[in-house]
Amino acid sequence: MFIKTFGFMALVSAATLLTPLSQAASLSAAEQADLMQLKEITLNSDLSYQLIESLTTEVGNRMMGTPGDEKAVIWAQEKMKALGFDKVWTEEISSELWLRGQARAKIVAPYPQEMTILALGGSVGTPGDGITAQVAHFATLDELKAAKPGSLDGKIAFVSYRMERHIDGHGYGAAVGTRVVGASIAAEKGALALIMRSVGTDDNRTAHTGLMRYKAGVKQIPAAALSNPDADMLVNQLKRGKPVSFHLNMSSSREKQLVKSANVIGEITGSEKPDEVVVIGAHLDSWDVGTGALDDGLGIGMVLSAGHYIAKLPKRPKRSIRVILFAAEEIGLLGAKDYVKRHKNDMDKHMIGAEWDFGSGRIYRMTPGVGASALNGVRELAAYLAPLGVSLAPENNARAQSDMGLLSDAGMPSVNFSPDGLAYFDYHHTENDTLDKVNAEDLKQTTAVYTLFSYFAAQSAIDFRK
Amino acid sequence: MFIKTFGFMALVSAATLLTPLSQAASLSAAEQADLMQLKEITLNSDLSYQLIESLTTEVGNRMMGTPGDEKAVIWAQEKMKALGFDKVWTEEISSELWLRGQARAKIVAPYPQEMTILALGGSVGTPGDGITAQVAHFATLDELKAAKPGSLDGKIAFVSYRMERHIDGHGYGAAVGTRVVGASIAAEKGALALIMRSVGTDDNRTAHTGLMRYKAGVKQIPAAALSNPDADMLVNQLKRGKPVSFHLNMSSSREKQLVKSANVIGEITGSEKPDEVVVIGAHLDSWDVGTGALDDGLGIGMVLSAGHYIAKLPKRPKRSIRVILFAAEEIGLLGAKDYVKRHKNDMDKHMIGAEWDFGSGRIYRMTPGVGASALNGVRELAAYLAPLGVSLAPENNARAQSDMGLLSDAGMPSVNFSPDGLAYFDYHHTENDTLDKVNAEDLKQTTAVYTLFSYFAAQSAIDFRK
């Protein structure tokens, strides 16, 4: 499906490049000059990289409930102030605490081997000294779903499905189901625990964590992900046809204790229509492994830089630009849920929004999700972005990414920028998500795109609403 | 230097390809047919891969003194017998035991961060609850050497030099010095411990272990390697100019207890000159992390396959082919040292030898180290190997790799096969050295080369001695 779309998109992109800007351009000549200047500046600035370097080095990982998250909330406010935002504030949230603890696993028989695993986020731990049980192997989540009730009594369920690598990351959708719902499905069949191949495209001895959920009324069993090479090892032992005995010991726990965090919000106040806001966002939290350089340090660097360089223009754009660094995305979009609730009465003033929470390479496509009357304006924006290698998708159905998707659901017009995500799931939710994975040159392009989008949407008078 | 050599080699290789086989060919037409048949069989066989799969899955890692090493010695004998070797025996060695124990480290200040480390092989542990001390940073081993005596009193020395990636692995030589001698040099200046950037070319959160040695009469201090991203983090914190405090806790220990292992040797007995032996080897042990799939599972698979397919020919070659799987290479070439001592009186019957203990890609070059009168014979062999993409180096100075180098030093003629080593040091001595890193197609080529070499050297009457 995606391959066909790409073919069509290439044509659309070429057409866009050949279309002269409308004579009724939304930006004046002076405004167009400002936009071109913003492009030059952001394409030559390493500010986004320096922000990510600061965040990963001085804060590190930052899961809600950890000291890193508290530091990140302070870090973000200080940076916004230093970068020239007109208003900086926080909107507090609270949630129960999850503790990762330690996780150890090994194949006990037929051939003892140490296993590299990570607990899934939200998982309970194992009782006592852990669980040792026979492994029941399923190639896919559907196979696990098809297992007979009681057939997994006293066993550890193992799903070995491997995520596929695609530029737009669509392999994630096919793989992540096991992580999210697998434990309760396995528990319903009698399993003592769920283990799964990590949702990741790499071959590193590095497991991928990520959120799981328990179904109400079903026994909560421990759930963990094996690194890809460890999953291969387990599959190879199972292939020999002998019973495979596996030991799992996890001390993770779901605590009743409430912990706090906050959305950190900075605004460049509009000069003519300050109550109309263009929002760009990323999430401030990360998993508690790695330093969250890609997920979502990249987005944080980009949206802060966009705000900074627009704030440095001689004059504020007409509309306000609001940069939202969402809290607790990883553990269930908690910051975004709070934001939508808190801002339900002014959601109609959110003129358009975009998030960055996927990919690590250059942006190659823009997909709008706006009112039909705004499509000419979107094409005008696309013409400014085309020289950066960004084509305009033929669809007009974008729901914003990640946190911002909840604002789309609440009626906000949206735009999605699609970056090269080929390498993203090599590092996603692992120890390996560190600064060295950030490509400083690609980051200049993505920063330029978010900056130009923000300026254009705030300065033009286009009504993006449906 | 290497680039120049490559250019020259390409010419030599082309010349070799154009040279018709001498009319006084060392192999008869029937023998040439056998050789061509061996090429076809090995290029289409996955036996080497299956052997590595078996070793890594059923044995796993196998450092001398661990249960894995004991299992490996049994595994190797059983495989040699099953593969049709005429004689299979072991030559026992013993050594003191080193225990890895646990290793934990973190940056304490200015910005607390967990560190991924591995103890260097042979290192002592830290006293009590570990060491917390200020980091003294050196960009290279030479900078550490230049530090004034006493200047590191109470400090942890850190060498951040990064290994370079090259096809022939020559970046290793420039980087490994810190690992081998760095601890004693740091101790002489007063340091409490040595930490270093891993000797590796990857960007994984996976540290590289490897042998270190203490200088006699110098205080033995703990030594550990940080993964590349962790070394980057430490460098980035140091760059800020504030004192950096580091905590290191390692329970590794050097025990007086003696442990045993053995060289495992299999022979295809020669039909005409059984006391003249052609030796091919690899090392059976590995480090105690990963499963030793590349280091040296690859070599084990190749030399066992070579023996097997030559044993399946209707007739034994004239000379014996001896496959040596050396014990305890990683902890100081202990098996090779024993072999040279034990075989000093028949070393002159070792007609020629080759080891595989580097690289993971296809072989592109052969370098001989033989008597001048044997060079025509080497060119003849090169003509058989040229269609496999192997060129003949202009030099005649090869010292065999790794273990086999000690046999070269004892007078054995040698040949070195140079494989693509670009990716090798991404995985070398890490948890990440696992089966998925083996390229099954490249392995067919390398197996074919070792098989053809062995058959040619054993069947031809060429005297390779100097």
Side-chain angles (χ1 to χ4, degrees):
Chain A
M1 188 183 80
F2 276 90
I3 290 169
K4 278 188 190 167
T5 309
F6 285 152
F8 185 39
M9 273 164 32
L11 292 174
V12 172
S13 173
T16 306
L17 283 164
L18 297 171
T19 305
L21 287 184
S22 153
Q23 291 177 328
S26 304
L27 299 185
S28 69
E31 291 162 349
Q32 290 184 30
D34 278 349
L35 187 136
M36 289 302 162
Q37 195 194 348
L38 283 172
K39 184 167 90 167
E40 276 310 296
I41 290 171
T42 49
L43 287 178
N44 289 288
S45 162
D46 69 350
L47 177 60
S48 292
Y49 185 86
Q50 291 306 329
L51 289 164
I52 303 167
E53 195 272 352
S54 168
L55 177 65
T56 54
T57 307
E58 298 170 14
V59 175
N61 63 51
R62 43 196 184 277
M63 183 177 75
M64 182 168 174
T66 66
D69 189 55
E70 289 178 35
K71 279 192 245 179
V73 169
I74 295 165
W75 178 94
Q77 293 175 74
E78 288 178 353
K79 288 294 178 197
M80 284 177 172
K81 288 171 190 165
L83 291 168
F85 284 72
D86 299 316
K87 285 194 272 185
V88 177
W89 72 97
T90 59
E91 295 177 356
E92 201 171 84
I93 64 163
S94 72
S95 175
E96 291 179 355
L97 175 65
W98 177 73
L99 294 174
R100 172 171 302 284
Q102 297 294 316
R104 278 192 291 274
K106 58 186 170 188
I107 298 174
V108 178
Y111 306 109
Q113 297 274 2
E114 296 292 326
M115 294 276 104
T116 301
I117 63 161
L118 271 181
L120 298 185
S123 175
V124 298
T126 52
D129 292 335
I131 293 166
T132 302
Q134 191 178 329
V135 173
H137 179 203
F138 301 94
T140 63
L141 178 60
D142 282 343
E143 280 193 11
L144 173 63
K145 285 178 179 169
K148 288 186 187 152
S151 65
L152 300 183
D153 284 354
K155 293 185 178 168
I156 294 174
F158 168 48
V159 180
S160 64
Y161 179 82
R162 185 170 179 125
M163 180 182 167
E164 292 178 1
R165 186 189 298 274
H166 296 283
I167 192 169
D168 62 359
H170 78 265
Y172 190 63
V176 77
T178 304
R179 197 190 77 201
V180 179
V181 302
S184 288
I185 291 169
E188 284 175 330
K189 320 285 186 183
L192 301 174
L194 172 80
I195 55 177
M196 64 180 290
R197 183 188 287 273
S198 283
V199 180
T201 49
D202 59 300
D203 282 314
N204 291 317
R205 207 77 186 277
T206 316
H208 297 241
T209 189
L211 190 63
M212 57 84 66
R213 297 185 188 282
Y214 291 116
K215 192 170 157 185
V218 176
K219 190 184 171 196
Q220 297 188 348
I221 62 171
L226 302 172
S227 84
N228 270 313
D230 289 86
D232 291 345
M233 169 67 80
L234 184 50
V235 168
N236 285 342
Q237 292 214 11
L238 286 158
K239 268 184 194 163
R240 285 161 163 79
K242 300 175 192 166
V244 172
S245 173
F246 195 94
H247 177 76
L248 180 66
N249 189 333
M250 282 166 45
S251 62
S252 41
S253 63
R254 299 161 69 97
E255 305 283 326
K256 292 293 164 198
Q257 179 193 343
L258 284 184
V259 289
K260 291 184 175 175
S261 187
N263 294 329
V264 180
I265 305 173
E267 207 165 86
I268 311 299
T269 306
S271 55
E272 296 184 13
K273 300 175 174 178
D275 59 329
E276 292 188 6
V277 294
V278 170
V279 288
I280 49 176
H283 65 84
L284 185 55
D285 68 316
S286 74
W287 278 106
D288 55 335
V289 294
T291 59
L294 301 184
D295 187 12
D296 191 14
L298 279 178
I300 295 168
M302 287 159 50
V303 296
L304 290 178
S305 292
H308 171 70
Y309 284 117
I310 294 172
K312 282 188 75 175
L313 290 173
K315 189 159 181 263
R316 294 286 180 260
K318 294 173 184 160
R319 289 170 174 156
S320 294
I321 293 172
R322 186 175 292 178
V323 171
I324 312 177
L325 300 182
F326 290 98
E329 186 272 344
E330 296 293 5
I331 61 170
L333 300 165
L334 304 189
K337 285 174 183 167
D338 180 84
Y339 186 90
V340 169
K341 207 165 153 186
R342 202 185 283 256
H343 292 272
K344 63 174 185 291
N345 293 331
D346 60 344
M347 193 54 69
D348 63 338
K349 294 293 185 186
H350 289 63
M351 305 308 287
I352 191 165
E355 175 139 338
W356 176 284
D357 188 22
F358 164 70
S360 57
R362 297 165 68 88
I363 294 168
Y364 62 87
R365 185 176 56 178
M366 170 172 68
T367 309
V370 300
S373 65
L375 281 173
N376 273 336
V378 169
R379 286 186 200 106
E380 204 176 319
L381 171 61
Y384 292 119
L385 299 182
L388 295 169
V390 182
S391 68
L392 177 62
E395 300 87 359
N396 179 28
N397 59 3
R399 176 181 182 272
Q401 286 179 34
S402 190
D403 305 280
M404 208 72 88
L406 301 192
L407 282 70
S408 302
D409 297 343
M412 179 186 75
S414 309
V415 61
N416 266 338
F417 295 102
S418 301
D420 184 331
L422 278 174
Y424 186 68
F425 289 104
D426 289 349
Y427 308 118
H428 181 249
H429 296 183
T430 73
E431 285 290 344
N432 238 345
D433 181 357
T434 49
L435 183 63
D436 50 288
K437 313 308 181 305
V438 174
N439 182 312
E441 289 307 307
D442 291 348
L443 183 59
K444 290 174 182 171
Q445 187 255 15
T446 58
T447 299
V449 169
Y450 273 66
T451 306
L452 268 54
F453 158 69
S454 305
Y455 176 79
F456 178 85
Q459 186 65 36
S460 72
I462 298 165
D463 186 350
F464 294 99
R465 290 174 296 192
K466 293 163 193 175
Chain B
M1 187 183 78
F2 276 92
I3 290 167
K4 280 189 188 168
T5 309
F6 286 150
F8 185 38
M9 272 164 30
L11 293 173
V12 172
S13 172
T16 305
L17 282 166
L18 298 171
T19 306
L21 288 184
S22 153
Q23 292 177 326
S26 301
L27 299 185
S28 69
E31 291 162 348
Q32 291 185 30
D34 279 349
L35 187 136
M36 290 302 162
Q37 194 194 347
L38 283 172
K39 185 167 87 167
E40 277 309 299
I41 290 171
T42 49
L43 286 178
N44 289 287
S45 163
D46 69 350
L47 177 62
S48 292
Y49 185 86
Q50 292 305 330
L51 289 165
I52 302 166
E53 196 271 352
S54 167
L55 177 66
T56 54
T57 307
E58 299 170 13
V59 175
N61 63 51
R62 44 198 182 275
M63 183 177 77
M64 184 170 173
T66 66
D69 190 55
E70 288 177 37
K71 279 191 246 181
V73 169
I74 295 166
W75 178 93
Q77 293 174 74
E78 288 177 353
K79 288 295 179 197
M80 284 177 172
K81 286 172 191 164
L83 291 168
F85 284 71
D86 299 316
K87 285 194 272 185
V88 177
W89 72 98
T90 61
E91 295 178 356
E92 200 170 87
I93 64 163
S94 71
S95 176
E96 290 178 356
L97 175 65
W98 177 73
L99 293 174
R100 173 171 300 283
Q102 296 294 316
R104 277 191 293 272
K106 57 186 171 189
I107 298 174
V108 178
Y111 306 108
Q113 297 274 2
E114 297 292 326
M115 295 275 105
T116 301
I117 63 162
L118 271 180
L120 298 185
S123 174
V124 298
T126 53
D129 292 333
I131 294 166
T132 303
Q134 192 178 328
V135 173
H137 179 202
F138 301 94
T140 62
L141 178 62
D142 282 344
E143 280 193 13
L144 174 64
K145 284 178 180 169
K148 287 186 186 150
S151 64
L152 301 183
D153 285 353
K155 292 184 178 168
I156 294 174
F158 168 48
V159 180
S160 64
Y161 178 80
R162 185 172 180 125
M163 178 180 169
E164 293 178 1
R165 186 190 296 274
H166 296 283
I167 193 169
D168 62 358
H170 80 265
Y172 189 63
V176 77
T178 304
R179 196 189 77 201
V180 178
V181 303
S184 288
I185 291 167
E188 284 174 330
K189 320 287 186 180
L192 300 175
L194 171 80
I195 56 176
M196 63 180 291
R197 185 188 286 274
S198 282
V199 181
T201 49
D202 60 302
D203 282 314
N204 291 318
R205 208 78 186 275
T206 316
H208 297 240
T209 189
L211 191 64
M212 58 85 65
R213 297 184 187 282
Y214 291 117
K215 192 170 156 185
V218 177
K219 189 184 171 196
Q220 298 189 347
I221 63 171
L226 301 173
S227 83
N228 269 313
D230 289 271
D232 292 343
M233 169 66 79
L234 185 49
V235 167
N236 284 342
Q237 293 214 11
L238 287 158
K239 268 183 193 164
R240 285 160 163 78
K242 301 174 192 166
V244 173
S245 173
F246 195 93
H247 176 75
L248 181 66
N249 188 333
M250 283 166 45
S251 62
S252 42
S253 63
R254 299 161 67 97
E255 305 284 326
K256 292 291 165 200
Q257 177 193 345
L258 285 184
V259 289
K260 292 184 174 174
S261 187
N263 295 329
V264 179
I265 305 173
E267 208 165 85
I268 312 296
T269 307
S271 54
E272 293 184 15
K273 299 173 173 180
D275 60 327
E276 291 188 6
V277 294
V278 170
V279 289
I280 50 176
H283 64 83
L284 185 56
D285 69 316
S286 74
W287 277 105
D288 54 336
V289 294
T291 58
L294 301 183
D295 188 12
D296 194 12
L298 280 179
I300 295 168
M302 286 159 49
V303 297
L304 289 178
S305 292
H308 170 70
Y309 283 117
I310 293 171
K312 281 186 75 174
L313 290 173
K315 192 161 179 261
R316 294 285 180 261
K318 291 173 186 161
R319 288 168 174 155
S320 294
I321 293 172
R322 186 176 292 179
V323 171
I324 311 178
L325 299 182
F326 290 98
E329 187 273 344
E330 296 292 5
I331 61 171
L333 300 166
L334 303 189
K337 286 174 183 167
D338 179 86
Y339 186 90
V340 169
K341 207 164 153 188
R342 202 184 282 257
H343 291 273
K344 63 175 187 288
N345 293 330
D346 60 343
M347 193 53 72
D348 63 338
K349 295 293 185 185
H350 289 63
M351 305 308 287
I352 191 164
E355 175 138 339
W356 175 284
D357 188 23
F358 164 69
S360 58
R362 296 166 68 90
I363 295 168
Y364 61 86
R365 185 176 57 179
M366 169 172 68
T367 310
V370 300
S373 65
L375 281 173
N376 273 336
V378 168
R379 285 185 201 108
E380 203 175 320
L381 170 62
Y384 292 119
L385 299 182
L388 294 169
V390 182
S391 68
L392 178 62
E395 301 87 358
N396 179 28
N397 58 4
R399 175 179 181 273
Q401 287 180 34
S402 189
D403 306 277
M404 208 73 87
L406 301 191
L407 282 70
S408 301
D409 297 344
M412 180 187 73
S414 308
V415 61
N416 266 338
F417 295 101
S418 301
D420 183 331
L422 277 174
Y424 186 68
F425 289 104
D426 289 348
Y427 309 117
H428 183 247
H429 295 182
T430 73
E431 285 290 345
N432 238 345
D433 182 357
T434 48
L435 183 63
D436 50 289
K437 312 308 181 305
V438 174
N439 182 313
E441 289 307 308
D442 291 349
L443 182 59
K444 290 175 182 172
Q445 187 253 16
T446 58
T447 300
V449 170
Y450 274 66
T451 306
L452 268 55
F453 158 70
S454 304
Y455 176 79
F456 179 85
Q459 186 64 36
S460 71
I462 298 164
D463 187 350
F464 295 98
R465 290 174 294 192
K466 292 163 193 172

